[in-house]
Every structure is written in C-alpha cells, then in structure tokens.
Amino acid sequence: DVTSSELYEYGMQQMEKKDYAQAVTYFTAGLDMDEVPNKQALMKKCIAAYEFSGDFESAKKMMADYVEEYPDDESAARENTFLQTR
C-alpha cells in the first residue's frame, strides 16, 4: 500500500517536472487517506501546485482550510493575503 508520505514524494517529483496538475492529483490522494501524518506538508504543496497551474480558486479554498487548521503558520498567513488579491 502507498502511504501519504510516498504520495507527497510523487507529487514533489511532478512539481520538479512542472506537471502541476499531476502533482495536485498525488497531493490530494495523500490528503484523502485515512492516516495523514504529513497533512500540513501535503496541504502546503497542494496549494502551491494549484497556484502554479493558475487554479487560484482551488488554492484559495484549500488555503482557507489550511490557515484555520494551522493558524500559527505565519508564511501561510502571508500567502493567504497574496491569494486574496488573485
């Protein structure tokens, strides 16, 4: 069975290839698993993949969930401000 960590790695490989749509597929598959110990990392990279692909609506939605779940992440708070202008 594939773990959320492996899906994160697959997604990162796609990010390096600039295949952001495929990266989103891996990151969201990881987030949909029953056990997601790396949820924060998956969410951050998925948001970035959405942004790079130009899907700012999906990025905004996931960022809203992210800042609610991780309110102490200051870089995410800044990124959220940036997304609101898109």
Side-chain angles (χ1 to χ4, degrees):
D1 284 349
V2 177
T3 66
S4 63
S5 295
E6 289 169 320
L7 289 167
Y8 176 84
E9 290 304 318
Y10 297 151
M12 291 303 292
Q13 290 169 8
Q14 297 308 311
M15 292 285 283
E16 288 174 18
K17 296 176 185 173
K18 296 185 177 13
D19 186 349
Y20 304 116
Q22 188 61 46
V24 165
T25 303
Y26 284 123
F27 295 142
T28 54
L31 289 166
D32 289 341
M33 298 184 83
D34 291 333
E35 288 188 32
V36 190
N38 60 334
K39 184 176 182 183
Q40 186 172 6
L42 279 166
M43 288 182 82
K44 277 183 106 159
K45 288 301 179 183
C46 193
I47 292 164
Y50 279 135
E51 286 180 22
F52 283 124
S53 68
D55 185 351
F56 292 106
E57 279 308 304
S58 296
K60 284 180 193 179
K61 286 178 188 156
M62 186 169 283
M63 181 59 86
D65 294 340
Y66 182 91
V67 293
E68 195 171 293
E69 202 157 331
Y70 306 103
D72 296 334
D73 186 333
E74 290 179 18
S75 67
R78 285 192 298 276
E79 184 67 20
N80 191 33
T81 302
F82 163 79
L83 274 173
Q84 298 312 313
T85 66
R86 299 289 157 235

